[in-house]
Amino acid sequence: MEGVLLTLAVAFYCVGTAGYLVFLIRDREEVHRAAWAVLMAGAICHGAAIALRSAAKGYLAVTSSPEALSFFAWFLVIAYLVLSLRLRLRILGSFVSPLAAVFMFGSTLLPASSIPSGPLFRSSWVVVHVATLFAANALFAVAFAAAIMYLLQERSIKQKRLGNLHSRLPSLERLDRINHICLLVGFPLMTVGLLTGFFYASTVWKSPWNWDPKEIFALLTWLIYAVLLHERLAVGWRGRRAAWLAIFGFSAVLVTFLGVNLLFKGHHSTFVG
């Protein structure tokens, strides 16, 4: 059943992505509604598949790189669906849904190692740690998409090529605001995720800091977003500079999230194979 649900989720994400790409070209309300509904159906199937796998394992199923990337794709779709209702920025789906589809396909290509079940995975601290970090990363991915849209819109304005893409994209001010909102919500979630991780590490490994590659890169990523938030609030950074830093920050997220798992070994290898 889990395999069927995952297959349905992939199919729904692909169809939803196709719908949003059509919506990017043609501003048709019915196209957006259909694409949004298909993404929602995919998220429901995906969430059910994750729940079934987690129930079978007895803990949250994010202990392999494919599972973690799949979980990330699910959080990204959920984040977009919620933000699209709150912010009424429909065109954002044309940039977020392809990203989620790529992550979902990537989860099927990554090598998976089998990690034996153990009490380490059943702690509520692990659930909070994982959930808050994935939620933060999903918001940073949305900020990344908004930053790409900002740079495209800015370029079309500067080059005075006010064609179809310019008319379809939101104003620079609105895109910058989306970036700002994702940062304001995502950064505290990331902070909570890191703090709970450090606390749990102190109980398992007797030290909150173990010079684990994942810890080092996670802290560097946190510092990037801390600088971006500080410069926005204290200095007033806006626009192009903030957009580029949002792109750089999400690149650091991907390195921490995927690159470290694939290239380095450390304490986190106990949790993610």
Side-chain angles (χ1 to χ4, degrees), residues 48-97:
I50 292 171
L52 287 175
R53 176 170 290 191
S54 298
K57 288 188 169 185
Y59 52 84
L60 192 60
V62 290
T63 56
S64 69
S65 293
E67 286 177 348
L69 193 55
S70 172
F71 198 60
F72 187 17
W74 181 63
F75 253 100
L76 179 53
V77 172
I78 294 297
Y80 165 69
L81 292 174
V82 173
L83 287 173
S84 67
L85 292 176
R86 297 286 297 175
L87 303 176
R88 303 293 179 184
L89 192 61
R90 300 175 300 176
I91 198 66
L92 187 61
S94 301
F95 291 81
V96 172
S97 58

Side-chain angles (χ1 to χ4, degrees), residues 20 26 115 119 157 171 186-187 216 262:
Y20 269 110
R26 301 187 65 184
I115 298 178
I157 292 173
S171 67
F187 183 75
I216 296 171
L262 297 174

